[in-house]
Amino acid sequence: MRLYTHPACLAHDPGEGHVETPARLRAVLRALDRDRFAALDRVEAPRATPEQLRRVHTAAHVERILGLAPAEGTVRLDEDTLMSPGSAEAALRAAGAAVAAVDAAMAGHGVRAFCAVRPPGHHATADRAMGFCLFNNVAVAAAHAIAAHGLRRVAIADFDVHHGNGTQAIFEREPRVLFVSSHQSPLYPGTGGEDERGVDNVVNAPLAPGEGSHAFRELWEGALLPRLHAFRPQLVLVSAGFDAHRDDPLADLRLNGEDYAWITARLVRLADAHADGRLVSTLEGGYDLAALAASAAAHVEALMG
Ligand SMILES: [Zn+2]
């Protein structure tokens, strides 16, 4: 089992008081530094190439993000998405981690991987940074699996509390990708209704504010996991956001660390059943530092099996 990260991901700083802070990744890495994670194969993430990014983003978007980082201070891309001097490098390493993890999974070494990276990715669309996201890391990974490895069925499971609107928009006309998401509704970014089905390759399962373990597990067990199994993915990608935790300040679901271990074990089983065990998970949200660290640790522990 591999752990991909890069120090550059700590140098993306949206500014004082922003919830998507470098302290998030520091908390995750500290939690994964304990003895029980000693067996993790730790790998420094390479940069994604412009070619890899352009599989899902417009050339104009890639150029803009790479050219926008200010020499000092921050530059604002939308209400809550900012770039600092280190942001372009962080975004390249975050997407590059997911690409490298796909290559490793396809090569058979350490078939499972967790990418402890930031900025997160699932809100970024083909031509727009939004919701703290610059490049769509999981989408870049899925497109790489198709283009570089010739896969015909790639599943993306997204359990972040927010809907992965960017991932959905990028793949809603691409039947080689199945995108499956549980998320709170109503909540930012406002997409993710059950009627949004793409070309029958998008499954959205909204949860109401206040719902917790029971509703979450019922949704995955009853609707989302059966769809994933029926798709018989050759690779399982995970948008692992931990902001559906009960302590998270940005949302109102009530999951706990055990729920993350539970869903992770089921996704591992999915990968074992169809994908020769190949599973690549990448960090999305999670804004209570203690809850994030504990949930990510539960996730990685379940990935290690
Ligand atoms: Zn989120």
Side-chain angles (χ1 to χ4, degrees):
M1 156 97 194
R2 288 191 168 195
L3 172 67
Y4 286 84
T5 188
H6 195 282
C9 294
L10 294 165
H12 161 59
D13 187 359
E16 191 74 36
H18 197 291
V19 293
E20 207 291 277
T21 157
R24 296 180 58 242
L25 182 55
R26 275 198 294 273
V28 169
L29 293 175
R30 209 177 305 126
L32 297 180
D33 210 22
R34 308 221 170 95
D35 283 351
R36 66 180 196 270
F37 298 109
L40 284 174
D41 185 5
R42 290 153 201 271
V43 186
E44 188 158 284
R47 294 187 184 101
T49 66
E51 184 202 3
Q52 290 164 350
L53 297 168
R54 286 196 301 259
R55 291 183 183 130
V56 303
H57 293 293
T58 63
H61 178 72
V62 173
E63 247 171 70
R64 187 169 127 84
I65 295 300
L66 297 184
L68 253 186
E72 57 183 81
T74 54
V75 55
R76 189 176 285 274
L77 280 70
D78 81 355
E79 221 166 281
D80 47 31
T81 312
L82 296 97
M83 291 183 72
S84 67
S87 297
E89 178 71 10
L92 287 172
R93 299 286 180 177
V99 167
V102 166
D103 286 337
M106 296 311 300
H109 357 277
V111 286
R112 293 198 283 270
F114 178 62
C115 302
V117 294
R118 53 185 289 282
H122 73 158
H123 296 306
T125 67
D127 62 357
R128 188 170 164 216
M130 61 181 277
F132 318 156
C133 303
L134 302 178
F135 296 134
N136 193 315
N137 308 319
V138 79
V140 172
H144 182 71
I146 291 169
H149 298 283
L151 297 195
R152 297 176 314 280
R153 293 184 310 279
V154 178
I156 302 175
D158 185 331
F159 55 70
D160 189 280
V161 81
H162 303 96
H163 180 239
N165 63 294
T167 312
Q168 175 175 305
I170 286 166
F171 293 122
E172 62 193 350
R173 303 267 164 263
E174 172 50 87
R176 288 174 291 185
V177 174
L178 175 67
F179 175 67
V180 159
S181 170
S182 65
H183 45 271
Q184 180 184 318
S185 176
L187 190 66
Y188 180 89
T191 51
E194 284 166 296
D195 57 333
E196 296 166 26
R197 297 200 179 107
V199 288
D200 203 28
N201 69 327
V202 171
V203 187
N204 284 310
L207 288 157
E211 292 197 294
S213 303
H214 181 74
F216 176 81
R217 294 186 187 204
E218 205 168 65
L219 261 188
W220 280 91
E221 198 79 77
L224 302 183
L225 287 162
R227 273 300 293 272
L228 286 163
H229 277 279
F231 183 64
R232 296 183 296 113
Q234 296 165 293
L235 171 69
V236 176
L237 301 178
V238 182
S239 266
F242 301 100
D243 40 11
H245 192 283
R246 59 176 64 240
D247 294 337
D248 198 275
L250 295 197
D252 312 291
L253 294 188
R254 308 188 51 78
L255 300 193
N256 56 55
E258 283 170 32
D259 294 314
Y260 292 113
W262 179 87
I263 184 61
T264 305
R266 267 143 192 85
L267 293 170
V268 166
R269 204 181 288 168
L270 171 76
D272 285 346
H274 307 286
D276 206 12
R278 292 184 288 263
L279 185 155
V280 172
S281 172
T282 183
L283 179 64
E284 300 282 2
Y287 303 97
D288 178 87
L289 296 184
L292 168 64
S295 301
H299 176 60
V300 172
E301 206 162 15
L303 287 177
M304 292 170 79

